[in-house]
PDB file of all heavy atoms in Angstrom:
ATOM      1  N   ALA A  62      87.908  91.731  66.837  1.00  0.00           N
ATOM      2  CA  ALA A  62      86.630  91.239  66.176  1.00  0.00           C
ATOM      3  C   ALA A  62      85.903  90.319  67.117  1.00  0.00           C
ATOM      4  O   ALA A  62      84.650  90.601  67.378  1.00  0.00           O
ATOM      5  CB  ALA A  62      86.876  90.469  64.889  1.00  0.00           C
ATOM      6  N   ARG A  63      86.552  89.411  67.781  1.00  0.00           N
ATOM      7  CA  ARG A  63      85.777  88.434  68.626  1.00  0.00           C
ATOM      8  C   ARG A  63      85.288  89.126  69.856  1.00  0.00           C
ATOM      9  O   ARG A  63      84.137  88.995  70.346  1.00  0.00           O
ATOM     10  CB  ARG A  63      86.797  87.339  69.137  1.00  0.00           C
ATOM     11  CG  ARG A  63      86.630  86.096  68.235  1.00  0.00           C
ATOM     12  CD  ARG A  63      87.620  85.036  68.622  1.00  0.00           C
ATOM     13  NE  ARG A  63      87.238  84.312  69.783  1.00  0.00           N
ATOM     14  CZ  ARG A  63      88.069  83.246  70.221  1.00  0.00           C
ATOM     15  NH1 ARG A  63      89.127  82.952  69.549  1.00  0.00           N
ATOM     16  NH2 ARG A  63      87.760  82.531  71.325  1.00  0.00           N
ATOM     17  N   LEU A  64      86.040  90.070  70.411  1.00  0.00           N
ATOM     18  CA  LEU A  64      85.603  90.796  71.669  1.00  0.00           C
ATOM     19  C   LEU A  64      84.422  91.672  71.361  1.00  0.00           C
ATOM     20  O   LEU A  64      83.396  91.814  71.970  1.00  0.00           O
ATOM     21  CB  LEU A  64      86.704  91.674  72.187  1.00  0.00           C
ATOM     22  CG  LEU A  64      87.840  90.881  72.941  1.00  0.00           C
ATOM     23  CD1 LEU A  64      89.100  91.712  73.238  1.00  0.00           C
ATOM     24  CD2 LEU A  64      87.274  90.292  74.312  1.00  0.00           C
ATOM     25  N   SER A  65      84.483  92.435  70.164  1.00  0.00           N
ATOM     26  CA  SER A  65      83.453  93.403  69.709  1.00  0.00           C
ATOM     27  C   SER A  65      82.211  92.669  69.502  1.00  0.00           C
ATOM     28  O   SER A  65      81.048  93.015  69.956  1.00  0.00           O
ATOM     29  CB  SER A  65      83.864  94.175  68.457  1.00  0.00           C
ATOM     30  OG  SER A  65      85.123  94.887  68.766  1.00  0.00           O
ATOM     31  N   HIS A  66      82.311  91.576  68.787  1.00  0.00           N
ATOM     32  CA  HIS A  66      81.131  90.694  68.427  1.00  0.00           C
ATOM     33  C   HIS A  66      80.387  90.328  69.757  1.00  0.00           C
ATOM     34  O   HIS A  66      79.192  90.393  69.930  1.00  0.00           O
ATOM     35  CB  HIS A  66      81.488  89.508  67.610  1.00  0.00           C
ATOM     36  CG  HIS A  66      80.379  88.635  67.315  1.00  0.00           C
ATOM     37  ND1 HIS A  66      79.406  88.968  66.373  1.00  0.00           N
ATOM     38  CD2 HIS A  66      79.992  87.447  67.794  1.00  0.00           C
ATOM     39  CE1 HIS A  66      78.486  87.993  66.350  1.00  0.00           C
ATOM     40  NE2 HIS A  66      78.865  86.999  67.133  1.00  0.00           N
ATOM     41  N   LEU A  67      81.160  89.905  70.686  1.00  0.00           N
ATOM     42  CA  LEU A  67      80.655  89.354  71.915  1.00  0.00           C
ATOM     43  C   LEU A  67      80.000  90.533  72.701  1.00  0.00           C
ATOM     44  O   LEU A  67      78.837  90.360  73.227  1.00  0.00           O
ATOM     45  CB  LEU A  67      81.895  88.807  72.738  1.00  0.00           C
ATOM     46  CG  LEU A  67      81.672  87.825  73.858  1.00  0.00           C
ATOM     47  CD1 LEU A  67      81.279  86.519  73.394  1.00  0.00           C
ATOM     48  CD2 LEU A  67      82.950  87.784  74.681  1.00  0.00           C
ATOM     49  N   LEU A  68      80.693  91.626  72.904  1.00  0.00           N
ATOM     50  CA  LEU A  68      80.187  92.585  73.742  1.00  0.00           C
ATOM     51  C   LEU A  68      79.079  93.543  73.084  1.00  0.00           C
ATOM     52  O   LEU A  68      78.277  94.083  73.781  1.00  0.00           O
ATOM     53  CB  LEU A  68      81.371  93.558  74.255  1.00  0.00           C
ATOM     54  CG  LEU A  68      82.422  92.789  75.103  1.00  0.00           C
ATOM     55  CD1 LEU A  68      83.652  93.628  75.358  1.00  0.00           C
ATOM     56  CD2 LEU A  68      81.700  92.467  76.519  1.00  0.00           C
ATOM     57  N   ASP A  69      79.134  93.568  71.756  1.00  0.00           N
ATOM     58  CA  ASP A  69      78.042  94.296  71.111  1.00  0.00           C
ATOM     59  C   ASP A  69      76.659  93.658  71.386  1.00  0.00           C
ATOM     60  O   ASP A  69      75.652  94.270  71.419  1.00  0.00           O
ATOM     61  CB  ASP A  69      78.258  94.366  69.587  1.00  0.00           C
ATOM     62  CG  ASP A  69      79.289  95.363  69.206  1.00  0.00           C
ATOM     63  OD1 ASP A  69      79.580  96.309  70.040  1.00  0.00           O
ATOM     64  OD2 ASP A  69      79.815  95.328  68.128  1.00  0.00           O
ATOM     65  N   GLU A  70      76.696  92.343  71.691  1.00  0.00           N
ATOM     66  CA  GLU A  70      75.508  91.549  71.895  1.00  0.00           C
ATOM     67  C   GLU A  70      74.898  91.917  73.311  1.00  0.00           C
ATOM     68  O   GLU A  70      73.790  92.124  73.477  1.00  0.00           O
ATOM     69  CB  GLU A  70      75.782  90.003  71.928  1.00  0.00           C
ATOM     70  CG  GLU A  70      76.301  89.488  70.570  1.00  0.00           C
ATOM     71  CD  GLU A  70      75.195  88.889  69.760  1.00  0.00           C
ATOM     72  OE1 GLU A  70      74.316  88.161  70.425  1.00  0.00           O
ATOM     73  OE2 GLU A  70      75.076  89.263  68.599  1.00  0.00           O
ATOM     74  N   VAL A  71      75.861  92.035  74.289  1.00  0.00           N
ATOM     75  CA  VAL A  71      75.360  92.172  75.647  1.00  0.00           C
ATOM     76  C   VAL A  71      75.391  93.568  76.191  1.00  0.00           C
ATOM     77  O   VAL A  71      74.687  93.902  77.066  1.00  0.00           O
ATOM     78  CB  VAL A  71      76.205  91.197  76.620  1.00  0.00           C
ATOM     79  CG1 VAL A  71      75.989  89.784  76.257  1.00  0.00           C
ATOM     80  CG2 VAL A  71      77.635  91.552  76.529  1.00  0.00           C
ATOM     81  N   MET A  72      76.262  94.424  75.671  1.00  0.00           N
ATOM     82  CA  MET A  72      76.269  95.857  76.167  1.00  0.00           C
ATOM     83  C   MET A  72      76.671  96.861  75.022  1.00  0.00           C
ATOM     84  O   MET A  72      77.754  97.533  75.120  1.00  0.00           O
ATOM     85  CB  MET A  72      77.189  95.915  77.358  1.00  0.00           C
ATOM     86  CG  MET A  72      78.593  95.433  77.134  1.00  0.00           C
ATOM     87  SD  MET A  72      79.704  95.814  78.600  1.00  0.00           S
ATOM     88  CE  MET A  72      79.305  94.525  79.603  1.00  0.00           C
ATOM     89  N   PRO A  73      75.909  96.895  74.013  1.00  0.00           N
ATOM     90  CA  PRO A  73      76.263  97.719  72.912  1.00  0.00           C
ATOM     91  C   PRO A  73      76.404  99.185  73.384  1.00  0.00           C
ATOM     92  O   PRO A  73      75.674  99.720  74.156  1.00  0.00           O
ATOM     93  CB  PRO A  73      75.029  97.731  71.981  1.00  0.00           C
ATOM     94  CG  PRO A  73      73.942  97.187  72.807  1.00  0.00           C
ATOM     95  CD  PRO A  73      74.483  96.244  73.918  1.00  0.00           C
TER      96      PRO A  73
END
Side-chain angles (χ1 to χ4, degrees):
R63 264 175 76 177
L64 286 168
S65 302
H66 177 71
L67 197 76
L68 295 170
D69 283 343
E70 297 268 313
V71 293
M72 53 171 86

